[in-house]
Amino acid sequence: MPDTRELTYDPADLWELTLDDLEALEVGAGILGTGGGGNPYQGKLLTREAMRAGYKMTILATEKIADDALCMSIGGIGAPVVGTERIREGREGLRCLQGMEELTGRKMDAIVCEEIGGANSMNPLVTAALGGLPVLDCDGMGRAFPEMQMTTFSIYGHSSTPSVMCDLHGNRVVFQHAVSEVFHERMARACVVAQGGAAMLATAPMPASFVRQNAIPQSYTKAIRLGRAVLDARRNGDDPVATVCALEGGRHVFTGKITDLKRHLRGGFAVGDLELGGFDDFQGQTASIAIQNEFLIFRREGEVEVTVPDLIIVLDVDTGYPITTEMLRYGQRIAVLAVPCHDLLRSARALDVVGPAAFGYPEIPFAPLAPLGQAA
């Protein structure tokens, strides 16, 4: 197909990422990933090699692109532990982009990040760079969630099909139509299990006007700023945990050692529970975190304190670096943070999809966190 695309933005508005930006993004996206989204270190390595090969990673503010520009959302699908054990080939996303353009007969104008968490912050950068496109400074979650219908795009009315899923073997699967976003998730999840537990998936294109209204804004700006602050805190001898709380309006809810860890693959997800024994200010206390790719429910002494969609973040207590669910180990010393989610995830419509009941906890109501310093 000849490239007849006309630019829908001013190239002067593009922000080209540097290797230093990428180092910060690894940390910031790992924090926002709430344990999921894929291993950010591996994502960084793949992205860094593409940059060193001469590909440009560019970010564009969502308000700087024409309303009718066509934007394609992309992200990884599968269990994070599989992504750690089986390295990506690297061009899965590009094959998704090519497949979507063939399927729709339209050229894409920009790539949109499905979820800013973990390696899924990097995947759109590589896809866009290989395809010669920018990535918009936004995403569909503001964190990571385990299921595809949990994006703000789906929540607020976008139909994800037709979609294209590609794996590292070169297989391409097209989901032409799904009667609901949940059915799309179920079919894609079953397919990714057959493909070995990890693939890339691109969903139906959206006009930029829809993205601008329904995406979580400035996700890349936020992740890079957050990561840079943690790296600076480490260099300056400051407390990185306090730094994250101050930047994100969060609170430090627990410090403890992992005393038990149950984690296994089920239906294409990594599920389990994390048990903690407190120390320092939390000496003598116990806590637990429920896992489905991401950290879902935090309990102290058996009582629920924090739930999705608010962010439950696990950091190494000494370095402040994020620990993803597949990297959890018995005996690790961690800090648990709670950070309020974006307002787009707190509407009644959103809570039907990303609240505790959507993860199998109908008995747990969502009690939204207030930013640190405000009354709950």
Side-chain angles (χ1 to χ4, degrees), residues 257-262 273-276 330-331:
K257 177 181 176 180
I258 298 178
T259 57
D260 194 15
L261 174 63
K262 298 180 179 69
D273 291 280
L274 180 67
E275 301 290 337
L276 300 171
Y330 175 83

Side-chain angles (χ1 to χ4, degrees), residues 148-186:
M148 293 187 306
Q149 78 276 11
M150 294 174 176
T151 67
T152 52
F153 310 130
S154 293
I155 290 168
Y156 293 105
H158 178 62
S159 176
S160 295
T161 52
S163 64
V164 180
M165 188 162 74
C166 298
D167 64 13
L168 57 79
H169 304 293
N171 296 311
R172 181 195 295 178
V173 178
V174 173
F175 297 93
Q176 186 67 45
H177 175 69
V179 297
S180 70
E181 296 295 271
V182 172
F183 259 106
H184 184 219
E185 157 67 30
R186 289 174 182 170

